[in-house]
Amino acid sequence: MIGNLSLDQLRVIVTIADTGSFSAAGRELGRAQSAISQAVATLEEIQGVELFDRSGHRPRLTEIGRVLIEQARLVLASAARFEAVAASTRAGLEPELALAIDPLVPTAPLIESLRALSGTFPALPVSFSTEGLGGSLRRLRNGSAALAICLLLPAVPDDIVAYPLLRIGLLPVAAPAHPLASLGRSATRADLEPHVQLVLTDPVDPGGENYGLLSARLWRFVDLGRRLDFLLAGFGWCRMPEHLVAEPIAAGRLTLLHIDEDTTPRDGLTIYAAHRRDRMLGPAGRWLLEDLRRRLAIERAPGVRPEGHSR
């Protein structure tokens, strides 16, 4: 049956449903009413269903007709997207833009850039994935993502081109009832070691490289939201992005800790936009990168490469 189905037939029945009659559909499509009637009759015969009740003055969709009209709309919309993607690709646009995002990346500027991207390239299929720590770099390397917004620790790898976007401050915090919150002085490593440290980890390689570990007891998390839940519940301490804990600190639900000889960079960590050195970005990827760079104030600091620099 499907081999005898055409987009033109679906367009005819949708136009009849939208205009209210066979004659109005004929005028809309520039065809004789007899041609419209024949197209519907042929489709009904092939599919073995009655789409329109013709007993009244105007055709009315049957019960099955109402269901199939909605299916026809979906098929026509999908076909339109198919044609739009093909046309965009002929014009030089990448057929798809796959993005991978680290959990520490602030959401607001990214949302605004993605909204602007959609307005500029409405036919571009975009896939989006929030990864665990290390996942964005892994997706770049296996080719399943074209652009990553991520941390690159301890340095930018040689096979990656990276553009610094912003720095995020990391604040050591604990719940007010946690023993570390009532020290009344800077915490030493000896103070921290007995207490659970809530750490982000790579779900694929939990035993891989770790940074900033000061406790002997580690609870590992893939996502920031769940780690924040445990932090607020008093199960441990950790360093959290400043933009996520500013409100809980102001509200008294978290306490800022001071760590003696803290090796974490005072000005935070750099978030990069990155792609593989051997896989250059297409027009939409370059557009998104430049839009993000315009929206985000890049804070220069020692050890941060200037804009556009890469290893």
Side-chain angles (χ1 to χ4, degrees), residues 166-236:
L166 77 160
R167 294 184 75 88
I168 56 169
L170 294 180
L171 301 180
V173 287
H178 192 279
L180 290 173
S182 56
L183 278 178
R185 56 174 172 79
S186 294
T188 65
R189 188 176 189 109
D191 293 321
L192 296 169
E193 280 183 348
H195 297 286
V196 171
Q197 184 176 354
L198 312 174
V199 299
L200 280 181
T201 192
D202 184 341
V204 175
D205 185 19
E209 292 187 88
N210 292 283
Y211 305 94
L213 301 186
L214 297 175
S215 296
R217 302 166 61 197
L218 304 177
W219 287 16
R220 300 181 181 274
F221 296 80
V222 174
D223 66 280
L224 279 174
R226 195 175 302 276
R227 183 169 72 153
L228 180 59
D229 290 340
F230 277 72
L231 180 65
L232 291 167
F235 281 97

Side-chain angles (χ1 to χ4, degrees), residues 245-266:
V245 295
E247 187 277 329
I249 291 174
R253 294 190 293 136
L254 286 176
T255 298
L256 182 63
L257 305 178
H258 299 280
I259 298 176
D260 191 32
E261 298 181 359
D262 193 355
T263 58
T264 302
R266 292 180 179 274

Side-chain angles (χ1 to χ4, degrees), residues 47-84:
Q47 299 301 321
V49 295
E50 184 181 38
L51 300 172
F52 295 95
D53 180 354
R54 302 167 178 77
S55 60
H57 176 65
R58 299 171 70 87
R60 291 182 300 127
L61 284 168
T62 61
E63 184 176 354
I64 185 60
R66 284 192 294 274
V67 173
L68 292 180
I69 284 292
E70 294 309 310
Q71 294 299 314
R73 292 187 195 279
L74 293 175
V75 172
L76 291 172
S78 180
R81 288 193 296 271
F82 179 96
E83 291 179 328

Side-chain angles (χ1 to χ4, degrees), residues 39-52:
V40 175
T42 300
L43 181 59
E44 289 178 326
E45 180 180 357
I46 291 172
Q47 299 301 321
V49 295
E50 184 181 38
L51 300 172
F52 295 95

